[in-house]
Structure formats: C-alpha cells, structure tokens
Amino acid sequence: MVEVSLRVPVPVDQVFTVLADGWSYASWVVGAAHIREVDATWPAPGARIHHSVGPWPLQVKDVTTVATSRPPHELELEARMWPLGAATIRFELTEENGETKIRMHEKVTRGPLSLLPEQAQAVMLVPRNRESLHRLADLAVGRK
C-alpha cells in the first residue's frame, strides 16, 4: 500500500469528525467532484457515499463504501472509480501531545490500474493523497 502522513494540531476526535461527515468528502478528496447522497449510517460498516469522480463533462458516478470503522482511530473505505477500478483506502489516526498524526494508506485493488506495480501507483497516488490530507487538515483545524 502507498502511505502518506501528516500531523495536525488538533485532537483525534476533531479529525475523525471530518471523516465522519460524508457530505464533506468533495471538499477534501482530490478528484471527488460531487456528493449525490450519503447513507444515514455513515461511517458505519457498509454505509456508502454516492459521488461523482473526475472533471465535468467526463464525470463518473460511483460509490465509496465503509469496510471498517473504529471511531475515532480508524476508517477503511473501498472507493470505486469505474471504469478505472477500485481502491482500498485506510485512515489511521493517533494522538500525540494533543496533535493528530493521520496516516493514509491506499492501494488500487481492481481494474486496469491495479495491474501497475506499487511504485507506479505511488507516482499517481502520493501527490494526490498528500493534497487530500492537507485539505482534510484544513477542515479539521477550522472546526475548532
């Protein structure tokens, strides 16, 4: 899995609050363009965000599903982006001295992009995921 991490100067609960707000995903997930619906049980296992991915007019409608949720420390998702494939994305939050360390792991698991070696996936995913974590951090800090 490709991993990126970032320290945020807020408690773990404050970061997880953003992850638990499915309607905020288009604000911080790079590539997410529009949230159409969020299941009322989000972020419980099996809950889904119905979203669009990509630039208009080439947007693809798909879903992201919660695989595992252990508030406020872990959230694992399966993000679909057909026809390109699907990815497993895991967020791990740990608190250290009043700050939160966010670790984001991602691996393309299905579709044509899954055939790429991890190093090639990293070239695509690391810059995108770093930017996503910075956006997530901005939202978490702004929720004080």
Side-chain angles (χ1 to χ4, degrees):
M1 288 189 124
V2 174
E3 180 185 326
V4 296
S5 64
L6 181 68
R7 289 189 183 280
V8 184
V10 296
V12 167
D13 289 338
Q14 208 161 313
V15 176
F16 199 85
T17 296
V18 179
L19 293 174
D21 177 4
W23 291 102
S24 77
Y25 270 56
S27 299
W28 63 269
V29 175
V30 174
H34 177 70
I35 305 300
R36 298 185 316 279
E37 182 182 350
V38 178
D39 289 357
T41 57
W42 184 270
R48 300 183 304 168
I49 293 175
H50 305 261
H51 56 76
S52 299
V53 177
W56 184 89
L58 305 174
Q59 290 180 349
V60 175
K61 292 181 178 181
D62 226 322
V63 298
T64 292
T65 305
V66 176
T68 304
S69 182
R70 294 186 184 96
H73 297 287
E74 183 179 345
L75 183 65
E76 184 171 294
L77 308 171
E78 180 188 56
R80 293 187 356 189
M81 53 208 163
W82 289 108
L84 300 176
T88 297
I89 305 161
R90 186 173 66 245
F91 296 91
E92 297 173 353
L93 310 177
T94 54
E95 194 161 333
E96 300 171 4
N97 301 319
E99 292 188 335
T100 300
K101 181 177 183 181
I102 308 169
R103 293 173 61 203
M104 180 180 181
H105 310 267
E106 183 169 3
K107 181 174 183 164
V108 180
T109 55
R110 290 185 291 172
L113 295 179
S114 68
L115 302 174
L116 296 174
E118 188 171 314
Q119 297 84 356
Q121 288 188 31
V123 168
M124 295 182 317
L125 297 175
V126 167
R128 173 187 171 271
N129 290 352
R130 279 191 185 132
E131 177 61 23
S132 289
L133 284 188
H134 283 284
R135 293 178 186 186
L136 172 63
D138 288 345
L139 289 174
V141 168
R143 287 190 182 236
K144 286 187 176 181

